Amino acid sequence: MTLLPRSLLSIFLLFISCTSSYAETGHRVGQTAPGFELTSLEGDKVSLDSLTQQGHVLLVFWATECVYCYAHISDFNALHDQYHDRGLTVAAINIAGEYAQEVREYAQSNGLKYLVLADRLDNLDVAEDYHVVGTPTLVLVSPDNRVLFYGHNLPDISKWLKD
């Protein structure tokens, strides 16, 4: 059995500390969520206001090359399945600057059930407005447009949406 080299261990510990640094106490929790209007893979214009009129919104800032984003697809699908009828919209915002066709192919081949927004350059502006650092970054927005959660790990949605 070999031990991890010290440099890899340091990187791992740094990653762990970074991924939990904003959870639930992020700089935007309690503040009004920045508005946006982006294009879905179906070509529809989607605004944050139109989504929050239906209930809570979980924004997932992601990239196709992000292995952590890929690893959570089943979790996001499960959240969509469990809470969509109760007003939760899972909205994935691709921030890698990929073209809609690339994102569409990825979404189809990986079975994404939730809303995917792929407005290439405008997505980057939204990510900047939300101060996104790294993927995935998750932001839960209430129906009154308040940020309830900002972090890199899945929030406990049941705190806000009851079964």
Side-chain angles (χ1 to χ4, degrees), residues 60-79:
V60 178
F61 292 92
W62 69 289
T64 58
E65 72 276 359
C66 170
V67 296
Y68 301 105
C69 303
Y70 174 79
H72 286 294
I73 289 172
S74 62
D75 297 325
F76 301 139
N77 279 341
L79 286 173

Side-chain angles (χ1 to χ4, degrees), residues 6-22:
R6 212 168 260 199
S7 61
L8 286 178
L9 182 58
S10 297
I11 291 169
F12 177 74
L13 292 174
L14 177 63
F15 171 76
I16 294 299
S17 67
C18 288
T19 59
S20 62
S21 62
Y22 286 110

Side-chain angles (χ1 to χ4, degrees), residues 101-130:
Q101 184 58 34
E102 294 172 89
V103 176
R104 184 178 297 104
E105 289 169 3
Y106 180 90
Q108 289 172 347
S109 66
N110 290 292
L112 279 66
K113 297 179 180 181
Y114 41 90
L115 176 64
V116 177
L117 303 171
D119 210 348
R120 194 167 175 257
L121 299 178
D122 289 339
N123 284 11
L124 298 175
D125 292 338
V126 174
E128 185 176 320
D129 290 344
Y130 279 86

Side-chain angles (χ1 to χ4, degrees), residues 56-100:
H56 290 79
V57 179
L58 180 64
L59 301 174
V60 178
F61 292 92
W62 69 289
T64 58
E65 72 276 359
C66 170
V67 296
Y68 301 105
C69 303
Y70 174 79
H72 286 294
I73 289 172
S74 62
D75 297 325
F76 301 139
N77 279 341
L79 286 173
H80 170 81
D81 291 344
Q82 184 174 3
Y83 291 109
H84 183 72
D85 290 341
R86 291 178 218 145
L88 177 69
T89 300
V90 178
I93 300 175
N94 179 276
I95 61 168
E98 295 149 325
Y99 289 97

